[in-house]
Structure formats: C-alpha cells, structure tokens
Amino acid sequence: MSGATARPWWKDAVCYQIYPASFKDSNGDGLGDVPGILSKIDYLRDLGIDVVWVSPMFDSPQVDMGYDISDYEKVYPPYGSVKDMEDLIEACHQRGMKLILDLVVNHTSDQHAWFRESRSSKDNPKRDWYIWKPPRYAEDGNRLPPTNWRSYFSGQTWEYDEHTGEYYLHLFAKEQPDLNWENEATRKAIYDSAMRFWLDRGVDGFRVDVVNMYSKGVEFKDAPIVDPRFYEQPAWCYYANGPRMHEFLREMNAEVLKHYDAVTVGELPHTPDPSKVLDYVGASDKQLSMVFQFDIVDIGQGREHKYHFEEWKLPLLKGIVAKWQQFIDGTDGWTTVFCENHDQGRSVSRFASDSPAYRATSAKLLSLMLGSLTGTLFLYQGQEIGMINLPPSWPIDAYRDIESVNFYKTMAAQSQDDPAELDYVMRSLQILGRDNARLPMQWTGERHAGFTHGKAGPWMRVHDLYGEINVERQVREGEGSVLGFWRRMIAFRKEHAEVLVHGAFEGFGMGDEKTFVFGKKGAGGQRAAVVLNFSGEEQEVELPGYEGLVFRVGNYDDAAEEEKGVEAKSRKLRPWEGRLYLAGC
Ligand code: GLC
Ligand code: CA
C-alpha cells in the first residue's frame, strides 16, 4: 500500500459534533441556528478541530430533533437556509477545516413528499418506497401488527394506516417511516437528494445514521418474548446487519462517495463481534471509512431496556477500550475514539466524577485517555469544557427527548405510577437519558449561559451550574481549565500522532478496578504509557517497562515538575490523577 492510501487525511483528524438546536442562538428565538455555528468557527479552530460534524439541520417537523427529515434539500427555517450552510462550509474550508453532515436515510419524516405519496394509495408508484404489510389477525379476530417488534421509542414498530388498511414499519417514532432499500429507485433518489445535493455544495462527507439497518432481512417474524410485561419485544437481531447491508454500502460508495472522496463514519449499534465490524470498515472493501461501535456508550444500560441502569465496574470499560483499539491490529480497518454524542449522558457523569471537587480533574483525565487512543477522535459539544449531566432534581417535565418521555409514560402506565418504579426510571434517565447532552451549550456565566439573548428564553432548560462551567470562564482560566487542557491535549496528540493516533495498544493490569494503565507503540519505536486513576482515593500504579519513559502531560497543575525528564517506574496517583509518559519521541 502506498503511504497515501494507508494514511487518508481523516485518520489524524479531530472532529467536533454540533447539535444545532443547542449550540448557539444568533437571533434570540431561543433555538440554536446555522449563523450561530458560524459565529463560533474560530473557537473550534483554536481548539484544534479539523472536522465539524453538524447534526441534522434539514427541514423537519422535529419529532426526533431533526432525525425525522421532511426535505433533504432544505434547511429547517428556524436554523437558517441552504445559503447559510454554504457560508458555513466555506468558512470551514477557508480555515483548513472540513464539514460533514448527518446522513439519515434509514427513514424519513412521515411529512416527506415521498411518504405522503406512498401512503396515498396501494398503487401509487412510491408505495413500495416504504415498508408496507397487511395486518395479521388473532384467533379472536383482533387485528395484530405484522410482527411483535418493539420500537426504539417504546411501543410497536408498526403503525396501522386506516386509509389503505395496511401497516408501515417504523423502527423509531411512528412519524419516522422506514425507507425500503430493496427498491432500486428509492436508493437512487436517496443518493441524489440526501447525498449529491450536499456533496455538490462542498460537504466533505457524512456521519451515517443507524447505518446497519437499511437491509431488513427477508423474513418478518416475531421476536422471542424477553419482557413478558409487554406485547412488543426487542427485535434488533431481525433487522440490524441484514443480508444486503454490505451490497448497499458498496453501491453507495461506488455510485456516490468515491466520486467526491467523501469520508463516512457509520453509526453501528448492535454489533459486538469485531469481525462483523471489520466487514464494514476494511479499507479494501470500500464501504465506510470508519464506524462508531457502541460498546462504550452502552455501558450501564439495562439488558431488557436501555433505561434500566445497571451498576458496572472499571474493568468493563477497560476491556471495551482494549477490544476496540486492538481489533484493527494487522488489518486494513480503522477505529474511532469517542464517548459522547447527542444520544448519551455526559462522560464526566457516567465514567468519572461530576462531584464539585473532582469534576474538572476527572474531565481532564478522560481527555488524557481519549487523546492517547488510536483512531479518529470525536468530541461532542460541551465535552471540551467538561459539561455534566442535568441535575438529579429536575422532574420529567424538564425532559424533552421523545425516547425518554415515551419510556417514562410507558413505565408509569405499566406500573400504575408505582413510586419505586418511577424513581428508578428517573435515576436511569438522569444517568443515561439523551437530554443530558442536549442542554444548551454553556458559553458564559450570563443569563441563559450566553446561549441565547432574546426574550423567548432557551428551548430547553439551561444547566443550573452554567455559572461555574462555561467557556468564557475557562478561557479566562487558561491552561489550567478543562478547555485549556483539551486544547493542549489535542495539540500534543497531533505532535505525537505516530504513537498516539496510530500506535498499537496494550493494556496492563486489566482486572484492576481503580486504575487504567495502558501503553502505545508507534511504528518508529516511539512508546507512550498512560496511567489513570479512576477513583477518588490515592492509588499506586506500575508503569509499563518501556525504556526511557519521560513524564509529559498530567492533569494536576503542580504535576511534579521535578519529575519531568526523570525516568519513572511506579508512582502514587492522587484522586482522578492521570499522567502520560513518552519514550523514543
Ligand atoms: C440515531 C440518532 C438518534 C436518532 C435515531 C433515529 O441513533 O443518533 O438521535 O433518534 O438515529 O434517527
Ligand atoms: Ca435562533
């Protein structure tokens, strides 16, 4: 392989995800918008960001915050216009940055013109663009959906349409009908409208929403009953990673992506087997550039339902990191490094400590960990200042997300408002709920955290702690802040890319429940050792026996100046302390 083939630009990139509704409001209507994003591009450039990923800003009824698209070729008017997006693309390019969009083509909104036509009659030419099935009937004559599948947002995956007497499939909300990828005309229309339209305007690629669900499998059959309290049952094994998945992605690549040299990062839930993940990201097979494998963000989720929080211990996280670092060893695949996005609780609250004493230190610890791992690094807005989950005192009315709200309602109905059950639901939502990531970005200590300035007030409640955790304050604090640390870590990662971005990972003491120690080996003989204390007590760690390790980065301000330049073998780590050592660089 030539150097150019082995090292496409996106491997070294640091990407930053923007959630348009919550990033920055420019016109005071309480909702973030595209001009708001534009006003912060220099902030992102200064942080060291190479790629901006903008979550759906397309026209949409906003049932699922824009993941229900009614027109791929328009921008949701409150966010701005296609012209605003062109300006944003240009602003990124002028600064040597790239911009990628969300590609949401497993489903559309039920308000998309394609679906309106499809549902209009059984013989409409677009009928087959979505997945329609006749009802089943129980012995007592009751109408039943074609299968017992449970949707991601509670309830069934099938909606009965009185007008034509059939059900349509929706893996997500009933307002998000699934497109029928088996139909070639549908695929061509998707390529044109959702992809070429934006690639022709200069976007550099896509984050591909639920990329492994387009091929539903030939058989629609009932899922086994794992939760007898409900008719609907989890059924992802029937519709994820279906038989024609790879064929569809190869086609998408050959027909569209390769002509623009576009990068893709696919969202790949329900795929725990490394060989199956490699089937998507092997470079020679030309499907996706990389994927988000879900193990790390699934930590703590319940088996029966995502929002049945389960306690976990550090070796679980370490094992997951090791697995998805090492699965590319000796292959032509690539991996990603991330632990936040708009569907997840904040990493400081989930994986470290959001207590006032340690939240900044532990945010830096996570930065040290992520910044040293192999793969393309993705940050989510607010992660760079250590934003934390919404306060446990917030009631269900403060939540906005359809997934959380529907789950709460379902459990309230099922348990007849049992306080113990609802407490558990609220506790799980406070840790895992998607709204945790959707609170307005905390820019300043002023009213509404500087996110919006108008009378309308923000579309979603601002975190109570915005006065303490905000960009302005951290800029003032400089190097010692979480933001200052991330900036330094990103620069350091780029400077030592051979070992940090591309090196081979090895874990040490993987059973230890308090500390995480790992090493990295670069192709040119460089070595890195990272020691992390994931606890609020002092811990002793052994450093890997690499020759000539020198302390380089730590998350305690006073971190042992005396030690810089001195070879270390073992040392005590203070609460949530992390240190990075290098050799041969
Ligand atoms: C993905 C998105 C999520 C959305 C879902 C349906 O998982 O990240 O936010 O609700 O797809 O499009
Ligand atoms: Ca606005």
Side-chain angles (χ1 to χ4, degrees), residues 164-179:
T164 54
E166 288 191 322
Y167 285 88
Y168 64 86
L169 180 74
H170 61 90
L171 297 183
F172 296 87
K174 69 177 187 325
E175 296 86 354
Q176 291 167 297
D178 280 56
L179 284 157

Side-chain angles (χ1 to χ4, degrees), residues 24-33 78-79 452:
K24 177 72 187 162
D25 174 22
S26 72
N27 61 355
D29 66 355
L31 193 66
D33 45 52
Y79 287 161
T452 179

Side-chain angles (χ1 to χ4, degrees), residues 497-533:
E498 202 50 50
V499 61
L500 297 180
V501 181
H502 300 276
F505 173 98
E506 60 177 339
F508 301 93
M510 295 299 279
D512 191 292
E513 295 187 356
K514 305 283 179 189
T515 62
F516 189 6
V517 177
F518 63 86
K520 299 284 301 285
K521 296 183 175 179
Q526 313 89 337
R527 299 281 180 270
V530 179
V531 295
L532 308 166
N533 179 3

Side-chain angles (χ1 to χ4, degrees), residues 304-320:
E304 281 170 0
H305 197 286
K306 175 176 172 185
Y307 295 136
H308 283 164
F309 177 70
E310 288 176 13
E311 299 291 342
W312 56 276
K313 293 212 159 66
L314 189 62
L316 177 69
L317 181 139
K318 298 199 294 187
I320 288 170

Side-chain angles (χ1 to χ4, degrees), residues 17-300:
Q17 183 190 354
I18 289 180
Y19 199 62
S22 302
F23 190 61
K24 177 72 187 162
D25 174 22
S26 72
N27 61 355
D29 66 355
L31 193 66
D33 45 52
V34 180
I37 302 173
L38 188 64
S39 72
K40 296 294 180 185
I41 284 297
D42 287 329
Y43 166 75
L44 299 178
R45 185 205 47 204
D46 293 348
L47 181 59
I49 299 304
D50 305 298
V51 179
V52 175
W53 152 25
V54 183
S55 278
M57 73 306 145
F58 313 96
D59 205 2
S60 159
Q62 305 291 336
V63 170
D64 183 23
M65 293 302 297
Y67 283 90
D68 48 322
I69 299 170
S70 52
D71 190 341
Y72 292 105
E73 301 172 27
K74 277 206 186 108
V75 171
Y76 178 50
Y79 287 161
S81 61
V82 170
K83 169 74 172 61
D84 290 327
M85 281 304 295
E86 287 170 339
D87 292 347
L88 183 64
I89 295 165
E90 197 189 322
C92 288
H93 290 169
Q94 273 169 359
R95 290 162 178 78
M97 296 158 77
K98 314 256 187 197
L99 184 136
I100 66 173
L101 295 181
D102 241 282
L103 180 62
V104 188
V105 291
N106 175 70
H107 43 266
T108 64
S109 161
D110 63 347
Q111 299 307 310
H112 194 292
W114 299 342
F115 187 72
R116 286 164 177 264
E117 280 188 52
S118 181
R119 92 186 305 175
S120 66
S121 74
K122 277 189 179 167
D123 51 19
N124 183 278
K126 293 207 173 60
R127 181 65 169 182
D128 193 39
W129 284 36
Y130 293 82
I131 300 171
W132 292 95
K133 298 266 177 233
R136 294 188 292 180
Y137 290 94
E139 276 170 17
D140 62 6
N142 269 343
R143 197 186 65 226
L144 289 174
T147 65
N148 66 350
W149 299 355
R150 181 173 83 192
S151 105
Y152 284 95
F153 298 156
S154 301
Q156 298 178 1
T157 56
W158 298 97
E159 179 71 7
Y160 187 65
D161 189 57
E162 293 286 345
H163 178 59
T164 54
E166 288 191 322
Y167 285 88
Y168 64 86
L169 180 74
H170 61 90
L171 297 183
F172 296 87
K174 69 177 187 325
E175 296 86 354
Q176 291 167 297
D178 280 56
L179 284 157
N180 180 14
W181 274 72
E182 301 289 327
N183 183 324
E184 196 184 342
T186 316
R187 300 202 299 276
K188 305 272 154 155
I190 291 170
Y191 300 155
D192 264 341
S193 188
M195 301 179 76
R196 289 194 191 98
F197 179 86
W198 288 102
L199 289 164
D200 288 338
R201 281 166 181 74
V203 310
D204 301 285
F206 300 100
R207 174 269 192 185
V208 195
D209 196 58
V210 291
V211 73
N212 55 344
M213 296 185 195
Y214 308 160
S215 167
K216 299 293 187 291
V218 270
E219 251 190 302
F220 285 83
K221 57 178 179 188
D222 278 345
I225 296 170
V226 296
D227 190 344
R229 294 173 301 175
F230 298 98
Y231 173 75
E232 303 85 22
Q233 301 296 320
W236 54 265
C237 49
Y238 295 99
Y239 55 72
N241 300 314
R244 298 185 68 190
M245 237 5 284
H246 298 295
E247 177 196 332
F248 292 154
L249 291 176
R250 280 183 206 115
E251 178 185 276
M252 179 194 271
N253 203 306
E255 291 205 10
V256 190
L257 296 165
K258 79 163 192 213
H259 303 287
Y260 297 87
D261 198 18
V263 64
T264 48
V265 51
E267 191 197 24
L268 199 71
H270 313 306
T271 314
D273 176 351
S275 72
K276 292 260 166 17
V277 177
L278 277 172
D279 288 345
Y280 286 91
V281 295
S284 51
D285 200 2
K286 304 218 178 341
Q287 295 180 49
L288 298 167
S289 315
M290 51 195 158
V291 295
F292 297 125
Q293 201 284 338
F294 267 48
D295 284 359
I296 190 144
V297 287
D298 285 352
I299 289 178

